[in-house]
Amino acid sequence: AGSAGSPGQARGPGGDGQPGGAGPEAGGDPGPAAGGPEYDLLIRGGLVVDGSGRPAFRADVAVRGDRIAAVGHLEGARARRVVDATGRVVAPGFINAHSHTYEYVATVPGGDADLLQGMTTVIGGVDGRSPMPLGPFLQRLERQGAGTNHALFAGHGSLRAAVMGTAQRAPSPAELRAMARLLERAMEDGALGLSTGLEYVPGRYARTEEIVALARVIAPYGGIYSTHMRSEGDAIVQALEEALTVGREAGVAVDVSHFKVVYHRNWPVQPRLIAMIQEARAAGMEVVADVYPYRSPDYASAVPLARAWDRYPAGDLVIRHSRVDGAEGKTLAELARAQGIAPAEAARRLLRRDPGTLATALVVGEDNLRQLLRQPFTIISSDGGARSPAAARRDPRLHPRVYGAYPRVLARYVRETGVLTLEEAIHKMTGQPAAFFGLRDRGLVRVGMYADLVVFDPATVTDRATWQQPAVPPTGIDLVVVN
């Protein structure tokens, strides 16, 4: 656990993460300890998907201490622990590009919900919120220990609140200098860069020039600008223009957080947004967008049906919780068809029997989600946070991404629909985010890298977390190794 060092020095062109290095048969450092096993861990016979995007290959993977020591055909090698990975994929541990686990790590350090998905590194301090000051938090985390590796951004909202509270105005020159000093200290402590939450208080009160001025502070460190933009809906074009302006004027890389277009009326604008990002990348700017594989964000995932039935298409409203037998898991349109009535009448009948019925509004288009996942500039995230299992089970509004995001990509968008190849999906979960965020020793199954590894069954890996039962772990992930 801890900081990621100087992130900007290791990013590849465009942040796509195609580092060179030893090939599939690299032998590494096989020197045995005198009289003892050569390795601490030997994973035999798996299909290695190494995180670079190149085709999978069969190989053994050996670990000594906290590093990958050999990758290849290692017949006769001895190890303290040997794992048979026949029929399994061996991949780098998944890197969550947008995580809220740090918010719970003081009381729930294990991060079980993350580990069960195959995550070994989580990127926090996102959406403009972070510990302030950052250094002492990272030091406490080092002493305490954590289930996964952590790297954090410095949150603009936290900086602003520390200097000027929730004031609805531009900062004075002295206040801006104070924020810059706090940000500079955070970068010295190991922050990845600056994050904003421009739909939240106090970030929403900042003008573009304030953000540009602070982003210039992170530029000499190779820092990244991560942004929850001002809009994901009606004003999303202007919001993306602002994000790209910050990157261009400050000379920093940009990560568009949990990228999506919400509400049916806005779905047609997505190709224009993709073109804007492609143009920025073609002009030399490093831009990625992290995406999670669900059609509903948290703010639309548990809305009262009484306030939602006439705001969304009936086919996009899934009954999440209801005391009416047989209603949960069905869309309002399906309930209406089954009863031979109009959706409005179906909603009224349901609400008469259970006024507290909750629905999940599918505000992201499935075709749009698939289009985003295919883009070379997108990486995978969850936007969830690993809480204690007991707390997760008690939360009726828990988003299934907390337990299911990464297995869902592998099951739904690789195995079932072929939106991505296995190599493409793993690259978006490992090598590509590692290169963009400057995690120099992670994200690849390669000699010398930290031994962050996941072993899973590509035929059975599946998310089981649903809107109705969100705190259910996935299946098909056999082994997760962190350092």
Side-chain angles (χ1 to χ4, degrees):
S3 70
S6 301
Q9 298 172 9
R11 275 184 257 119
D16 285 336
Q18 296 283 2
E25 303 304 319
D29 171 19
E38 293 174 277
Y39 305 113
D40 294 303
L41 172 66
L42 180 60
I43 303 173
R44 280 204 178 278
L47 183 68
V48 175
V49 181
D50 71 359
S52 70
R54 71 181 67 182
F57 56 92
R58 298 207 173 274
D60 307 320
V61 178
V63 174
R64 185 183 301 114
D66 60 1
R67 300 275 181 163
I68 297 172
V71 179
H73 300 300
L74 306 175
E75 294 88 350
R78 293 172 292 115
R80 298 179 190 279
R81 179 181 180 188
V82 178
V83 173
D84 182 1
T86 303
R88 301 295 194 264
V89 166
V90 182
F94 303 150
I95 298 169
N96 188 350
H98 189 99
S99 168
H100 291 278
T101 289
Y102 88 90
E103 296 170 25
Y104 309 102
V105 74
T107 54
V108 191
D112 288 1
D114 290 345
L115 289 165
L116 288 164
Q117 291 195 53
M119 294 181 208
T120 57
T121 298
V122 295
I123 307 295
V126 288
D127 293 335
R129 302 191 301 272
S130 69
M132 194 60 59
L134 185 60
F137 175 86
L138 293 175
Q139 291 166 6
R140 287 195 300 273
L141 194 56
E142 287 280 8
R143 291 194 299 268
Q144 170 188 293
T148 59
N149 303 298
H150 286 253
L152 276 78
F153 281 89
H156 164 259
S158 299
L159 294 167
R160 205 176 205 270
V163 172
M164 51 189 299
T166 58
Q168 300 183 42
R169 57 174 174 80
S172 68
E175 288 168 333
L176 188 59
R177 286 194 298 271
M179 282 191 275
R181 285 194 297 269
L182 288 174
L183 179 55
E184 190 171 46
R185 174 64 187 274
M187 295 304 295
E188 294 288 344
D189 287 340
L192 292 175
L194 175 70
S195 78
T196 54
L198 300 180
E199 286 190 303
Y200 304 128
V201 172
R204 66 189 306 168
Y205 304 136
R207 297 175 181 170
T208 305
E209 51 265 32
E210 173 184 332
I211 302 166
V212 170
L214 292 174
R216 285 176 174 148
V217 173
I218 70 174
Y221 298 88
I224 297 163
Y225 175 57
S226 169
T227 180
H228 175 135
M229 299 189 299
R230 292 189 196 273
S231 173
E232 297 179 327
D234 294 349
I236 192 170
V237 172
Q238 297 91 327
L240 181 58
E241 286 175 345
E242 179 183 44
L244 298 176
T245 294
V246 172
R248 187 181 307 110
E249 294 192 5
V252 296
V254 175
D255 173 21
V256 180
S257 296
H258 41 64
F259 191 40
K260 56 187 171 293
V261 180
V262 297
Y263 308 127
H264 200 281
R265 62 184 177 272
N266 297 314
W267 294 353
V269 81
Q270 182 166 289
R272 180 179 175 188
L273 303 173
I274 291 172
M276 290 167 64
I277 293 176
Q278 290 171 332
E279 289 166 7
R281 285 164 58 91
M285 188 187 304
E286 292 187 50
V287 187
V288 301
D290 63 78
V291 178
Y292 56 75
Y294 295 91
R295 293 188 58 194
S296 182
D298 55 349
Y299 55 80
S301 68
V303 294
L305 181 63
R307 297 206 303 265
W309 68 267
D310 59 347
R311 294 181 55 201
Y312 304 97
D316 291 341
L317 276 177
V318 179
I319 306 306
R320 178 162 183 173
H321 293 305
S322 177
R323 294 196 299 268
V324 177
D325 289 343
E328 289 186 351
K330 292 186 172 61
T331 67
L332 184 58
E334 289 169 338
L335 291 175
R337 281 196 298 271
Q339 299 173 64
I341 57 177
E345 178 58 27
R348 284 191 285 268
R349 288 186 184 182
L350 193 56
L351 289 168
R352 280 197 293 269
R353 297 176 64 186
D354 182 7
T357 295
L358 295 178
T360 297
L362 305 179
V363 296
V364 176
E366 177 66 23
D367 289 343
N368 274 17
L369 176 55
R370 296 183 186 198
Q371 183 185 45
L372 283 183
L373 288 172
R374 290 190 188 101
Q375 299 306 311
F377 59 78
T378 57
I379 56 180
I380 306 301
S381 65
S382 81
D383 197 11
R387 301 157 63 181
S388 74
R393 287 191 295 269
R394 287 194 302 267
D395 185 355
R397 297 170 180 265
L398 187 78
H399 199 293
R401 65 195 180 194
V402 171
Y403 279 89
Y406 284 71
R408 183 173 177 82
V409 171
L410 296 171
R412 181 175 179 84
Y413 295 105
V414 174
R415 186 176 66 238
E416 296 172 8
T417 62
V419 171
L420 297 170
T421 67
L422 182 59
E423 291 88 349
E424 288 170 339
I426 296 299
H427 179 54
K428 288 174 177 287
M429 297 174 176
T430 60
Q432 188 173 353
F436 180 78
F437 291 116
L439 309 180
R440 291 183 292 269
D441 297 327
R442 304 185 193 276
L444 298 171
V445 180
R446 191 158 294 172
V447 172
M449 293 283 178
Y450 279 111
D452 291 347
L453 299 164
V454 58
V455 179
F456 66 90
D457 184 347
T460 64
V461 61
T462 303
D463 61 308
R464 298 190 299 155
T466 65
W467 300 115
Q468 293 72 42
Q469 298 290 332
V472 182
T475 57
I477 295 179
D478 300 322
L479 177 70
V480 179
V481 179
V482 187
N483 302 334

